[in-house]
Amino acid sequence: MSTQTWDPSDYGKNGAFVQTMASEVLEWLAARTGESILDLGCGDGQLTQRILATGATVVPVDSSPEMVAAARARGILAQEASAESLPFSDRAFDAVFSNAVLHWVSDQDAMLAQVRRVLKPRGRFVAEMGGHGNIAAIRVALGVVLARHGFGDRDDGASYSPTADGYAQRLEGHGFHVQRMSLIARPTLLAESGVEGWLRTFRRGVLDGLPEPLRDTVVQETTALLAPVLRDEEGNWTADYVRLRFIATP
Ligand code: BEZ
């Protein structure tokens, strides 16, 4: 997985939209009573709770120990695991579900091989992730500011935003059949903390890698560059999210 680090409390405040905007991918999953579902990258467990409410058996995993602890604090028995080496037997699950996680996985081929391995032959992989053009303005602005300060090579974790055709080919290369796939522009209203809160939450891995005195400067300069395009007259910030959502079967 990438080196991104998470603060569950910041994530709860500045990333609340990750849960509230997940209804459609949950509809695509259409979990049923008695099914066994792997929740890959369960985060703080809010979506796990919604899947559990369908009567399915859910196995939640996350690579972040902080997120696993946050999920456990809400009574979700999450376990720490990497998407690239899943600690489950072959053909263990009816479905693998993932929301807002796959773009963080460094070795996509290892992850897809693992998902394929743990799915039953009639199973399904239902996921939503960053798609081509995702947070383009934020990436350009942050990249320019990092380069200005001599750290232009640092914004690595946000780089994987495949096209629909590109990811379909990748899935097919691992023996999946794509049943449904959409690339969706999804402008996303940010929390009151705006892009500053977003940067501190979602680019924390990058900021933590900078010399301490530079962190606030990078956040402030990036925020100033983005204000004319992402902040409206009332002061609301909208991020330029693009989602790739799919259902693929073995
Ligand atoms: C996202 O699409 O959820 C995302 C991608 C890169 C950085 C932060 C968020």
Side-chain angles (χ1 to χ4, degrees):
M1 301 280 276
S2 79
T3 54
Q4 178 70 10
T5 49
W6 297 104
D7 175 330
S9 151
D10 270 2
Y11 192 84
K13 278 184 281 180
N14 299 321
F17 59 82
V18 174
Q19 323 300 335
T20 57
M21 300 185 96
S23 298
E24 280 158 291
V25 69
L26 285 173
E27 273 168 32
W28 283 33
L29 173 65
R32 293 181 291 266
T33 305
E35 282 191 319
S36 166
I37 300 180
L38 175 65
D39 184 359
L40 185 57
C42 65
D44 64 7
Q46 290 191 50
L47 290 187
T48 313
Q49 284 179 319
R50 285 168 70 179
I51 304 169
L52 281 168
T54 66
T57 300
V58 187
V59 176
V61 299
D62 205 286
S63 65
S64 155
E66 291 82 11
M67 285 302 195
V68 167
R72 286 182 165 250
R74 68 171 69 235
I76 297 295
L77 286 182
Q79 51 183 297
E80 208 178 314
S82 158
E84 293 138 340
S85 61
L86 293 170
F88 305 108
S89 53
D90 296 358
R91 304 176 171 205
F93 298 101
D94 294 300
V96 174
F97 170 79
S98 183
N99 180 51
V101 167
L102 300 185
H103 44 260
W104 298 112
V105 177
S106 318
D107 189 341
Q108 291 285 318
D109 291 314
M111 178 272 290
L112 290 176
Q114 289 290 298
V115 171
R116 177 81 172 73
R117 181 182 68 73
V118 302
L119 270 178
K120 292 180 184 173
R122 293 166 66 87
R124 61 199 189 281
F125 180 24
V126 181
E128 187 169 303
M129 64 189 289
H132 187 65
N134 192 38
I135 55 164
I138 299 180
R139 286 180 60 191
V140 170
L142 180 59
V144 163
V145 172
L146 288 169
R148 186 188 285 162
H149 293 283
F151 293 93
D153 58 340
R154 295 299 171 91
D155 193 22
D156 53 349
S159 58
Y160 192 58
S161 313
T163 60
D165 282 353
Y167 211 67
Q169 272 179 31
R170 193 156 209 160
L171 284 159
E172 283 158 11
H174 286 273
F176 284 101
H177 301 275
V178 176
Q179 307 295 344
R180 210 172 158 189
M181 183 175 267
S182 295
L183 187 72
I184 306 145
R186 195 202 65 191
T188 299
L189 184 64
L190 300 182
E192 218 175 316
S193 58
V195 87
E196 176 169 346
W198 188 96
L199 288 165
R200 293 190 193 281
T201 301
F202 289 95
R203 305 315 293 130
R204 183 170 169 210
V206 173
L207 295 173
D208 283 356
L210 301 175
E212 213 278 326
L214 191 59
R215 293 177 198 163
D216 282 349
T217 308
V218 166
V219 170
Q220 281 152 19
E221 289 183 9
T222 306
T223 301
L225 268 182
L226 286 167
V229 284
L230 298 186
R231 191 176 63 190
D232 68 18
E233 288 170 348
E234 285 76 42
N236 304 306
W237 288 85
T238 302
D240 48 344
Y241 272 77
V242 178
R243 303 284 91 183
L244 182 64
R245 188 184 305 146
F246 62 85
I247 302 175
T249 53

